[in-house]
Amino acid sequence: MKAVVIRKHGGPDVLSYEEINNPQPTKGHAIVRVDYCAVNHLDIWVRNGLPGKQVSFPHVLGCDICGTLVEGFGRFKKGEKVVVHPAIQSNIPRISFSIIGGFGKYHGGYAEMVLVPQKNIVKKPDWFTDAEASALNVSYLTAWNMLERSRCRKGDTILVWGANSGVGSAAILLARAKGLRVITVASNKSKSRLAKKLGAHLVIDRSRKDVITETLKHTNNQGVDAVIDHVGAKTWPISIEMLKVGGRMVACGTTTGGEANVNIRAFYSKEASIIGAYLGTKSQLISLHKFMKSRKIKPIIDSIFSLKDAKSAHQKMEKSSQFGKIILKISS
Ligand SMILES: NC(=O)c1ccc[n+]([C@@H]2O[C@H](COP(=O)([O-])OP(=O)(O)OC[C@H]3O[C@@H](n4cnc5c(N)ncnc54)[C@H](OP(=O)(O)O)[C@@H]3O)[C@@H](O)[C@H]2O)c1
């Protein structure tokens, strides 16, 4: 089968489009013919490599899969359209789980076929196209989990970093649909315009305005109920500063680094909370599907690349020139 594999860590050039062996059927597993696989920032972490994290080469990236079952099992039929919940058991102490195509033993969806545990298979909801369904298993699921963990109620104000990102654009759409007041941050005019179109109540263009000043100005100097922070080191100090008394910062990412310098006194004197979020469960994924269908929400797709152009897809994400999800079309 055709696949994009990495044989070493490095820049986009290590992505190699080649012929590899098909996966073989294994007990308790299903083979999925991959139709679409969305690109996530995790793919870049795995491609680059992270200290202390290992994969065995050659490795196939890709954690966000929509495809077709090669054989049926249980109540699933051969040829059925499915998506893959990407969490798999981790053998690393004190880590909830590993992710398919991530740092772990399972190959991912940058290939015509993928072998995954049967228990990770979820029926693809008819409301979404195959490409849309591939966009939901990571960014949207994580944003959904973060919103649940934020404990925000209708009418609360939430700040979402990175309006153009997979997680950020998902969080804006879902937060609006939950009745929250959404402040978001973008880094130029065109991203700000698209963020406004998504329904954010206030968009702060961080290339022109100070995020803390603008947020406080629009919240009567009170701050926000919660922040969705997937950016990490550069934004943690600002996120904490912008929380109101009793506010919650929900964190899931380290795009700008994993070690932040924060004002601890500002944090405890407003009795704030920092809450971690890691993907979401399979039942949360199913609830997310139902919620999006009931509110008639479709994921925001920036662009679709063919598998052999995975390198261009990565370059686009590394330049952060997307707005929404970048997707790879795998099977023709
Ligand atoms: N814990 C989990 O389960 C989980 C799940 C999904 C994702 N994540 C993590 O969440 C992060 C986002 O993932 P993604 O796939 O959505 O990534 P992405 O689409 O590549 O987005 C990256 C975002 O970071 C923003 N950004 C970069 N530098 C910034 C800065 N200095 N200040 C403010 N914003 C900045 C970019 O905004 P501009 O373009 O405006 O610079 C962009 O919106 C990644 O670190 C990923 O690993 C974690």
Side-chain angles (χ1 to χ4, degrees), residues 6 12 16 40 53 114 124 137 215 242 261 267 303 308:
I6 55 168
S16 166
N40 284 277
K53 299 267 193 180
V114 64
K124 191 214 106 182
N137 310 296
T215 301
M242 290 186 299
N261 229 325
F267 168 69
S303 44
K308 66 176 168 28

Side-chain angles (χ1 to χ4, degrees), residues 49-274:
L50 285 177
K53 299 267 193 180
Q54 280 172 0
V55 290
S56 56
F57 296 120
H59 182 68
V60 181
L61 304 171
C63 48
D64 224 349
I65 298 164
C66 176
T68 309
L69 276 182
V70 169
E71 292 296 339
F73 66 89
R75 63 194 165 82
F76 289 98
K77 296 191 188 65
K78 176 178 177 171
E80 192 163 341
K81 288 282 181 185
V82 294
V83 296
V84 180
H85 178 246
I88 37 160
Q89 199 186 353
S90 170
N91 48 15
I92 305 168
R94 301 179 303 285
I95 299 239
S96 302
F97 48 78
S98 296
I99 293 183
I100 287 169
F103 293 103
K105 63 177 183 174
Y106 281 86
H107 285 306
Y110 287 21
E112 287 176 319
M113 280 187 258
V114 64
L115 180 80
V116 298
Q118 288 175 347
K119 63 177 190 304
N120 290 60
I121 297 287
V122 174
K123 186 179 162 50
K124 191 214 106 182
D126 296 338
W127 165 247
F128 303 108
T129 64
D130 295 355
E132 287 165 352
S134 78
L136 305 176
N137 310 296
V138 180
S139 311
Y140 277 72
L141 178 57
T142 305
W144 179 248
N145 184 17
M146 293 176 92
L147 288 170
E148 288 192 340
R149 285 173 183 263
S150 76
R151 302 192 303 276
C152 279
R153 302 221 175 110
K154 202 171 171 176
D156 283 356
T157 302
I158 195 158
L159 183 133
V160 177
W161 283 103
N164 68 310
S165 63
V167 174
S169 56
I172 296 170
L173 276 184
L174 298 172
R176 272 304 315 248
K178 279 174 170 266
L180 308 188
R181 195 166 163 263
V182 178
I183 301 176
T184 192
V185 184
S187 58
N188 63 30
K189 257 193 192 160
S190 96
K191 289 177 189 174
S192 301
R193 188 175 45 78
L194 291 168
K196 195 77 198 163
K197 246 172 107 179
L198 268 195
H201 295 89
L202 172 69
V203 182
I204 304 169
D205 180 347
R206 67 183 172 90
S207 68
R208 300 186 314 137
K209 299 234 163 110
D210 178 66
V211 177
I212 297 178
T213 311
E214 290 302 302
T215 301
L216 294 180
K217 195 162 99 192
H218 284 85
T219 54
N220 280 332
N221 215 25
Q222 299 297 301
V224 296
D225 294 279
V227 176
I228 298 293
D229 194 317
H230 52 88
V231 179
K234 291 236 168 93
T235 50
W236 269 50
I238 309 172
S239 297
I240 289 171
E241 189 65 33
M242 290 186 299
L243 288 177
K244 64 155 57 161
V245 171
R248 286 87 56 198
M249 175 177 99
V250 191
C252 80
T254 55
T255 307
T256 57
E259 288 183 24
N261 229 325
V262 299
N263 184 337
I264 298 171
R265 186 170 288 115
F267 168 69
Y268 69 68
S269 54
K270 60 173 91 178
E271 299 194 307
S273 313
I274 299 176

